[in-house]
Amino acid sequence: MASSRTTRGSRMLPPEVDARVAAIAADRESGASELAMRALEAFEAFATVGPAPAELQELAGTLAAAQPSMAAVRNVAHLCAQLLGEGHEPTLTFQELRRELAGAADKIARNALKVIVGKSIAITLSRSASVIAVLQILHLRGRLSAVTVLESRPRFEGRRTAQELAAAGIPVKLVTDANGPRLVGTSDLVLAGADSVLRDGGLVNKVGTYGLALAAKAAGKPFYAACEVMKLDATHASDSFPPPAGRPPDELDPPPNVVAENVYFELTPADLVTSYITDKGVYEPRRIAQLVTL
Amino acid sequence: MASSRTTRGSRMLPPEVDARVAAIAADRESGASELAMRALEAFEAFATVGPAPAELQELAGTLAAAQPSMAAVRNVAHLCAQLLGEGHEPTLTFQELRRELAGAADKIARNALKVIVGKSIAITLSRSASVIAVLQILHLRGRLSAVTVLESRPRFEGRRTAQELAAAGIPVKLVTDANGPRLVGTSDLVLAGADSVLRDGGLVNKVGTYGLALAAKAAGKPFYAACEVMKLDATHASDSFPPPAGRPPDELDPPPNVVAENVYFELTPADLVTSYITDKGVYEPRRIAQLVTL
């Protein structure tokens, strides 16, 4: 995880910053929101050594490459590089960005109350701080009957979601991913998180999302994705989004002589998304392009 | 697993027959074709004690209840009861039924060659003797580029399928169930087995099938189900098919305080099935009703 600064003859990244970038690249547990916060912290650590604007841009590029499926990491990194490069006072800048990131889930949750009315059975997958915030506020307002959580790949991370929801007093049912599409029919809505939202309203999220979205369309149920606008990807639309890389095949524990392919992310096309519930408001997928150009 | 004969004051099932019924009820590994053969063997064991026609019908009912999602078990059991009850010679009857069951996979495979032309990438799930026979013949005839196998629930039984295909020299890729719908887009066809086929052409098969079928329709790819006509269920259509029962939740290893629901089978509606590849021919789902009344 050496910085490209080495090859240009500039200073190495300080070991602490380098370690933070490496940790972000290796992280297969945390959601995009958490990793965006880690990217912010890498910049905070770098700011202490008084880097030049070009060095800030290099760190931003390195962070973006560490988690290429997560626009929030790229966006936060480039925003840090830009603001610091323009001479903004670091302490205040980081304070404000941190407040923005940390406060997003609460705003998303309150915006969810505008579209999810009545008392619903929800089905969800994977692990998303935004989704958990939405489900918690629905529960507190008496608008949630129960939640079905897929055990989820990669690494059965839905189990952790189920455990957190159960701890919050929400009636939770854990099921296999294979049962997901079938169970959309007995739910009122699908609620997913997002790793990135593409320019054309396409949704990049953990595998399993596309199957739930297809089932929602077939059953006439709404499919919501909850996320910060920080996750909008200005650089890619669905047709230019690069296929997500494979992760270690060993995670599937394949039998002898069998090749496994282990992919974490997939694209759900815009026409399967009913709306995006964000910290700035609720948007249909076709409105995303306008938000990106703001 | 006591026979209902007890409550009517008739003889108990002989211990060997009773053990065979119990083994069929407890079996969560074998496919419907294998279990139909086991049902035949239970009748063979019972025939040696010279049962009365009413007793034969009782055993048939008990076997049907042992695997309620599998019409082949019920059909074979009732056919045995009927033929023996009509006075057919047991040894010859069992020989003929055994030949019929054992030879079905080969006939299905040869019928598959009529519809699967060109050289295909196939995606499949779960474990089905018919599916494996079809893939093997396609491979031998040079009509198979590669197969993607979902690890499959219940109990990751797709791993065994992947291993068998790899052993037959077929290029195989094992992936998580969550990746299935996405990978239909890069395949040429979906090939599933069947646990039962309902009167209206609905398909009862292992969970994960519905998601693949939805994805096939969305991507404009054919969805084939390979099975014996012995699997046609004359008693149920999609609207009367009882929801499959839950199996032991422990198989999902749920975290503390989280409730798991573990369902093995699901219904895929007839309009998502391109055709059924059977031992008697290849049929569109709307033709199934005619076959059932034959």
Side-chain angles (χ1 to χ4, degrees):
Chain A
M1 194 47 58
S3 160
S4 59
R5 300 161 84 226
T6 326
T7 59
R8 298 191 197 173
S10 51
R11 291 176 302 178
M12 293 289 287
L13 281 178
E16 195 208 330
V17 179
D18 201 48
R20 286 175 184 273
V21 175
I24 289 170
D27 194 324
R28 290 173 204 135
E29 299 284 347
S30 305
S33 313
E34 293 168 79
L35 290 173
M37 190 66 94
R38 299 290 98 74
L40 179 68
E41 289 161 0
F43 261 95
E44 275 187 291
F46 197 33
T48 59
V49 303
E55 292 176 319
L56 290 166
Q57 287 300 339
E58 280 187 42
L59 175 56
T62 306
L63 282 166
Q67 285 284 353
S69 294
M70 295 179 176
V73 173
R74 178 167 63 234
N75 288 343
V76 164
H78 282 290
L79 201 53
C80 286
Q82 185 191 332
L83 293 172
L84 298 182
E86 286 170 358
H88 288 256
E89 200 282 312
T91 308
L92 283 176
T93 301
F94 290 124
Q95 201 172 58
E96 192 168 327
L97 284 172
R98 189 183 292 274
R99 195 185 301 127
E100 172 101 5
L101 288 178
D106 189 50
K107 289 177 188 155
I108 291 165
R110 276 182 281 128
N111 284 330
L113 294 172
K114 299 174 190 167
V115 280
I116 303 177
V117 291
K119 192 162 183 176
S120 301
I121 299 171
I123 181 165
T124 190
L125 80 166
S126 180
R127 216 187 104 68
S128 153
S130 303
V131 164
I132 290 172
V134 168
L135 293 172
Q136 280 179 329
I137 204 168
L138 289 175
H139 173 62
L140 290 173
R141 303 291 177 97
R143 296 197 197 172
L144 194 61
S145 298
V147 181
T148 300
V149 183
L150 308 195
E151 58 186 357
S152 304
R153 292 308 187 87
R155 299 155 72 96
F156 302 108
E157 63 186 21
R159 291 179 183 174
R160 205 170 132 207
T161 301
Q163 204 166 6
E164 281 185 43
L165 295 174
I170 297 170
V172 174
K173 192 169 69 181
L174 183 72
V175 301
T176 64
D177 292 16
N179 272 288
R182 176 179 79 85
L183 290 171
V184 169
T186 56
S187 308
D188 298 305
L189 59 93
V190 181
L191 181 62
D195 286 285
S196 292
V197 180
L198 305 181
R199 287 180 65 86
D200 62 343
L203 168 64
V204 179
N205 198 39
K206 290 286 167 61
V207 288
T209 306
Y210 177 52
L212 291 182
L214 285 172
K217 188 172 190 181
K221 306 290 170 77
F223 178 99
Y224 300 116
C227 67
E228 308 90 312
V229 293
M230 190 64 87
K231 287 182 174 169
L232 304 194
D233 182 340
T235 58
H236 288 296
S238 294
D239 56 5
S240 72
F241 183 73
R247 294 291 197 160
D250 292 354
E251 285 181 8
L252 270 64
D253 192 19
N257 303 319
V258 170
V259 175
E261 184 184 278
N262 185 22
V263 170
Y264 282 7
F265 298 101
E266 70 184 354
L267 176 66
T268 295
D271 65 353
L272 297 180
V273 180
T274 307
S275 49
Y276 286 100
I277 302 173
T278 80
D279 47 330
K280 306 295 184 197
V282 179
Y283 303 100
E284 291 173 42
R286 64 191 171 87
R287 298 287 306 280
I288 296 295
Q290 293 162 268
L291 291 173
V292 166
T293 56
L294 285 181
Chain B
M1 196 45 58
S3 160
S4 58
R5 301 160 84 225
T6 326
T7 60
R8 299 189 198 174
S10 52
R11 292 176 303 179
M12 292 291 289
L13 281 178
E16 195 208 330
V17 179
D18 201 47
R20 286 175 185 273
V21 175
I24 289 170
D27 193 324
R28 291 174 202 135
E29 299 285 346
S30 305
S33 313
E34 293 168 80
L35 290 174
M37 191 66 94
R38 299 292 96 75
L40 178 68
E41 289 161 358
F43 262 94
E44 276 187 293
F46 198 31
T48 60
V49 303
E55 292 175 320
L56 291 165
Q57 286 299 338
E58 281 187 42
L59 175 57
T62 305
L63 282 165
Q67 285 284 354
S69 294
M70 295 179 174
V73 173
R74 177 168 62 235
N75 289 342
V76 163
H78 282 291
L79 201 52
C80 286
Q82 186 191 330
L83 294 172
L84 298 183
E86 287 171 358
H88 289 254
E89 200 284 311
T91 307
L92 283 177
T93 302
F94 290 125
Q95 202 172 58
E96 193 169 327
L97 283 173
R98 189 184 292 275
R99 193 185 303 128
E100 171 102 6
L101 288 178
D106 188 51
K107 289 177 188 154
I108 291 166
R110 276 182 281 128
N111 284 330
L113 294 173
K114 299 174 189 167
V115 280
I116 303 178
V117 291
K119 191 162 183 176
S120 301
I121 298 171
I123 180 165
T124 189
L125 82 166
S126 182
R127 214 187 107 66
S128 153
S130 304
V131 164
I132 289 172
V134 168
L135 293 171
Q136 281 178 329
I137 204 168
L138 289 175
H139 173 63
L140 290 173
R141 302 292 177 97
R143 296 198 197 171
L144 194 61
S145 298
V147 181
T148 299
V149 182
L150 309 195
E151 57 187 355
S152 304
R153 292 310 188 86
R155 299 155 72 96
F156 303 108
E157 61 186 24
R159 290 179 184 174
R160 205 171 131 206
T161 301
Q163 204 166 4
E164 281 185 43
L165 295 173
I170 296 171
V172 174
K173 193 168 70 180
L174 182 72
V175 301
T176 64
D177 293 16
N179 271 289
R182 176 179 78 84
L183 290 171
V184 168
T186 56
S187 308
D188 298 305
L189 59 93
V190 180
L191 180 63
D195 287 286
S196 291
V197 180
L198 305 180
R199 288 180 64 85
D200 63 341
L203 168 64
V204 179
N205 198 38
K206 290 286 168 61
V207 287
T209 305
Y210 177 51
L212 291 181
L214 285 171
K217 188 172 191 181
K221 306 291 169 75
F223 177 99
Y224 300 116
C227 67
E228 308 91 310
V229 292
M230 191 63 88
K231 287 182 174 169
L232 303 195
D233 182 340
T235 59
H236 288 296
S238 294
D239 56 5
S240 73
F241 183 72
R247 295 290 198 161
D250 292 355
E251 285 182 10
L252 271 65
D253 192 18
N257 303 319
V258 171
V259 175
E261 184 183 278
N262 185 23
V263 170
Y264 283 7
F265 298 100
E266 69 184 355
L267 176 65
T268 295
D271 65 352
L272 297 180
V273 179
T274 307
S275 49
Y276 286 100
I277 301 172
T278 81
D279 47 331
K280 306 295 184 197
V282 179
Y283 302 100
E284 292 174 41
R286 64 191 171 87
R287 298 287 305 281
I288 296 295
Q290 293 162 268
L291 291 173
V292 165
T293 56
L294 286 181

